[in-house]
Amino acid sequence: MLALIYSLNIEIKTDEVVSKKSDAMKVHYECASCFLRQTREALDLATDDEDLKMQVTEKINKILCQDYKKGADANRLGTRIHRTIKRETGNPDPYHDLREKSDQIALQFLPQVEKILEKDNSLKTYLKAAIAGNVLDFGALGLDSDIEGLVMSTVEKDLSIDHSQELEAELEMAENVLYLADNVGEIVFDKLLIKKLHEYGVEVTVALKEGTILNDASMKEALEVGLDEVARLITTGTDSIGVVYPDLSDDFKAEFEDADLVIAKGLGNYEGLTEMDLGDTPVFSLLNAKCQPVAKDIGADLGGNVVLKLN
């Protein structure tokens, strides 16, 4: 815990690494094993019926055999897999218990983080705290991960890619910000950053998932942590992993187009946004590069903390 408290006092350096604008995020060869690992974990959480697990695994393997190929959209494929697991097992939220665990971990750190932010209230420090929350992700890291340890070690790191000055400049010009949430637990840290954003005179709208998938935050969890106290809450209109443009509701698409600035948390949102035409709206991605394919795509270190302007 002392490492966590100390690390937030460390000044975040402006890294000399400058990321290229990424092409669309497609599957890499490593993604296949990740999809299968997630399938096993989700099935173990969803049901105790061994025969049913085998039947669903056969269906997932058929999906991968058919659709897993060079150029495939990672978010669409992952969404199809997890929707299949939910439908076939009859369990709409296999990660329910892990959602509660993530909240407990985040709330454990919250008082200490708030004290540090009182001493150093720079935007960079708030960004760093919010990105540390991004490691509360059993979907990307696996059920056996030492999440508490990862939070503590992640918050010690400086930014691998630091476009925070550009973000601050956009905040000073913006009137409204659309904030794409990622995981349960993580939104506890997002709430702190959103409070900081209000100092720039912006109105903040937070977009959550319409339904449950993996450990992504939905309206229910947002209300439980009081996110409605600091922002207007909407949903993407779907339960897709990250953003999958064809699945998004017309209402959400209109919100995206009308925003002066978009801040997106996490891997799934990063992957989905690289598949979209972002137009002229400045879009920034805040994440921890937890997997090698995303780290490669961004040009960041594996496990690096990133504030990246996408357009």
Side-chain angles (χ1 to χ4, degrees):
M1 188 60 70
L2 289 176
L4 172 70
I5 295 172
Y6 171 75
S7 62
L8 278 174
N9 282 308
I10 297 175
E11 181 182 358
I12 302 174
K13 300 176 182 178
T14 301
D15 201 292
E16 294 181 356
V17 175
V18 178
S19 173
K20 67 179 178 61
K21 183 182 182 297
S22 174
D23 295 327
M25 180 68 193
K26 304 296 186 181
V27 294
H28 291 229
Y29 81 90
E30 301 102 318
C31 297
S33 58
C34 187
F35 284 136
L36 290 172
R37 187 261 304 164
Q38 283 190 15
T39 296
R40 174 182 56 79
E41 292 179 344
L43 284 172
D44 285 343
L45 293 170
T47 180
D48 294 327
D49 187 329
E50 296 296 322
D51 289 336
L52 181 57
K53 290 179 187 179
M54 177 60 75
Q55 294 169 19
V56 179
T57 301
E58 290 175 1
K59 291 180 182 291
I60 299 302
N61 282 334
K62 289 179 181 178
I63 291 171
L64 290 172
C65 287
Q66 177 182 347
D67 295 335
Y68 186 83
K69 60 190 71 175
K70 186 176 181 179
D73 182 323
N75 276 5
R76 293 192 193 191
L77 189 51
T79 297
R80 185 178 175 192
I81 287 170
H82 283 279
R83 285 176 178 168
T84 298
I85 293 169
K86 292 193 295 179
R87 183 183 66 250
E88 296 297 325
T89 64
N91 187 331
D93 187 11
Y95 288 79
H96 176 270
D97 292 345
L98 291 177
R99 291 169 178 275
E100 295 184 356
K101 182 176 180 181
S102 295
D103 281 338
Q104 292 169 2
I105 294 172
L107 291 170
Q108 172 187 342
F109 294 144
L110 183 60
Q112 289 82 4
V113 173
E114 288 178 325
K115 289 179 182 179
I116 298 306
L117 293 174
E118 289 174 2
K119 296 178 181 179
D120 180 0
N121 67 350
S122 66
L123 177 63
K124 282 188 177 183
T125 306
Y126 278 84
L127 291 169
K128 190 177 182 182
I131 292 171
N134 188 233
V135 303
L136 292 167
D137 188 354
F138 293 99
L141 296 171
L143 302 185
D144 296 328
S145 301
D146 177 14
I147 296 294
E148 294 185 43
L150 285 169
V151 170
M152 294 175 66
S153 63
T154 299
V155 79
E156 293 175 355
K157 298 177 182 178
D158 294 332
L159 297 178
S160 290
I161 296 175
D162 183 1
H163 294 170
S164 59
Q165 290 185 348
E166 292 93 327
L167 174 56
E168 188 160 27
E170 294 293 350
L171 280 168
E172 290 171 348
M173 295 186 291
E175 294 184 3
N176 64 84
V177 175
L178 178 61
Y179 194 103
L180 308 187
D182 189 20
N183 300 322
V184 172
E186 182 177 349
I187 56 176
V188 172
F189 294 85
D190 291 335
K191 185 177 179 181
L192 298 174
L193 176 56
I194 290 167
K195 288 180 180 178
K196 180 65 177 179
L197 298 182
H198 287 306
E199 295 182 10
Y200 293 86
V202 298
E203 296 294 327
V204 181
T205 297
V206 176
L208 304 136
K209 296 300 164 57
E210 179 75 22
T212 56
I213 193 163
L214 277 170
N215 58 331
D216 289 8
S218 66
M219 186 68 72
K220 175 179 178 293
E221 291 87 22
L223 293 173
E224 287 174 349
V225 302
L227 210 57
D228 57 319
E229 300 167 4
V230 297
R232 171 174 163 257
L233 304 184
I234 63 171
T235 76
T236 61
T238 183
D239 66 345
S240 67
I241 294 174
V243 284
V244 176
Y245 189 79
D247 288 4
L248 300 172
S249 69
D250 290 339
D251 288 342
F252 174 79
K253 291 176 182 177
E255 294 275 356
F256 192 97
E257 292 173 1
D258 291 341
D260 295 326
L261 170 64
V262 176
I263 298 174
K265 290 296 296 295
L267 304 183
N269 283 324
Y270 167 77
E271 291 171 326
L273 288 167
T274 65
E275 298 281 347
M276 292 171 51
D277 179 0
L278 301 180
D280 295 328
T281 303
V283 180
F284 288 81
S285 182
L286 311 184
L287 58 84
N288 178 269
K290 292 167 286 193
C291 76
Q292 190 66 57
V294 170
K296 289 178 182 177
D297 195 68
I298 293 175
D301 299 328
L302 180 63
N305 298 328
V306 172
V307 177
L308 174 67
K309 190 173 189 296
L310 296 185
N311 59 348

